[in-house]
Amino acid sequence: MSPLPIAILGSGKGSNFQAILTAIQAGRLNVRPVLVATDVSGAGILDLAASAGIPTMVISEPKFRTRLSTDVETALAQQLKDAGVELLVLAGYMRLLKSPLLEAFPRRIINIHPSLLPAFPGLEAWKQALEAGVPTAGCTVHFVDGGMDTGEILAQSEVPVLAGDTAASLHARIQVAEHELYPRVLARFADRELP
Ligand code: GAR
């Protein structure tokens, strides 16, 4: 089976993208990243992509903080189509998606979120979990729709909240789970198990 062409969209350090790269290099994941795009110039994910020889793109959005302008998002969708992308993988991307991308890639955009959705959508979900005093946190991979972390859930991993946890220690433990979960779910798309 030919490797599934994917693009990664991220705003941060890119540890989930690194986990995907590691799985590809280990022969556990039959995908081919054709583009890494970010809305944050200087984001760590760019250096990781460059080191791996994957083309990168910085999206410039002067108007909005929580989404892209329609014209910017339309141009991005076209670039992804032109690059032959079949699955768009959000990895730490911190804006909402709108109709240009959602309509260009129906059920072909997935995201990883650091909570057991539907609990704790939005920013710094691990902090929300800690403040709520729940005994179990975790992470979720889901299809992306127009809401904030609301799309259909594909898989989840649970992570215990331990006595003495800080926001940083809990997020670190959740990220270990993310790095195992995301490549595993991606493999189901790569193996054409998910429609
Ligand atoms: C991850 O913990 C991811 O779940 C979270 O951002 C972090 C990115 O880390 N995403 C969200 O909160 C999306 N709502 P990374 O850049 O090291 O992959």
Side-chain angles (χ1 to χ4, degrees):
M1 212 177 287
S2 60
L4 183 73
I6 66 168
I8 291 91
L9 186 50
S11 309
K13 67 180 192 287
S15 70
N16 278 287
F17 169 55
Q18 179 59 61
I20 291 166
L21 282 178
T22 301
I24 296 169
Q25 284 153 7
R28 283 186 279 119
L29 181 56
N30 188 26
V31 300
R32 183 168 58 88
V34 297
L35 182 70
V36 170
T38 182
D39 58 331
V40 177
S41 62
I45 197 169
L46 287 172
D47 296 331
L48 290 176
S51 307
I54 298 165
T56 59
M57 174 188 157
V58 178
I59 303 158
S60 165
E61 173 50 67
K63 271 198 223 140
F64 301 109
R65 225 167 32 86
T66 58
R67 67 178 178 92
L68 298 177
S69 317
T70 303
D71 55 342
V72 173
E73 197 176 296
T74 301
L76 174 60
Q78 190 57 53
Q79 268 182 285
L80 296 173
K81 285 283 176 196
D82 291 346
V85 171
E86 289 185 25
L87 183 73
L88 177 56
V89 177
L90 308 192
Y93 181 67
M94 303 311 282
R95 295 177 195 247
L96 293 173
L97 298 196
K98 294 290 171 187
S99 52
L101 277 171
L102 296 172
E103 285 169 16
F105 293 93
R107 285 178 78 82
R108 278 290 172 276
I109 308 177
I110 60 174
N111 179 47
I112 190 153
H113 182 76
S115 78
L116 296 174
L117 289 171
F120 313 126
L123 295 177
E124 298 187 317
W126 60 91
K127 258 192 204 166
Q128 298 183 50
L130 203 56
E131 281 161 15
V134 293
T136 307
C139 52
T140 302
V141 176
H142 62 95
F143 281 119
V144 175
D145 63 14
M148 189 191 286
D149 306 315
T150 50
E152 181 186 329
I153 291 173
L154 290 162
Q156 297 186 306
S157 285
E158 292 189 355
V159 172
V161 180
L162 303 180
D165 255 338
T166 61
S169 67
L170 180 56
H171 189 209
R173 193 175 314 112
I174 291 171
Q175 286 227 282
V176 172
E178 289 184 334
H179 300 161
E180 188 274 327
L181 182 67
Y182 218 1
R184 185 153 54 81
V185 175
L186 261 175
R188 290 164 61 193
F189 286 92
D191 297 342
R192 282 39 171 201
E193 275 172 31
L194 284 169

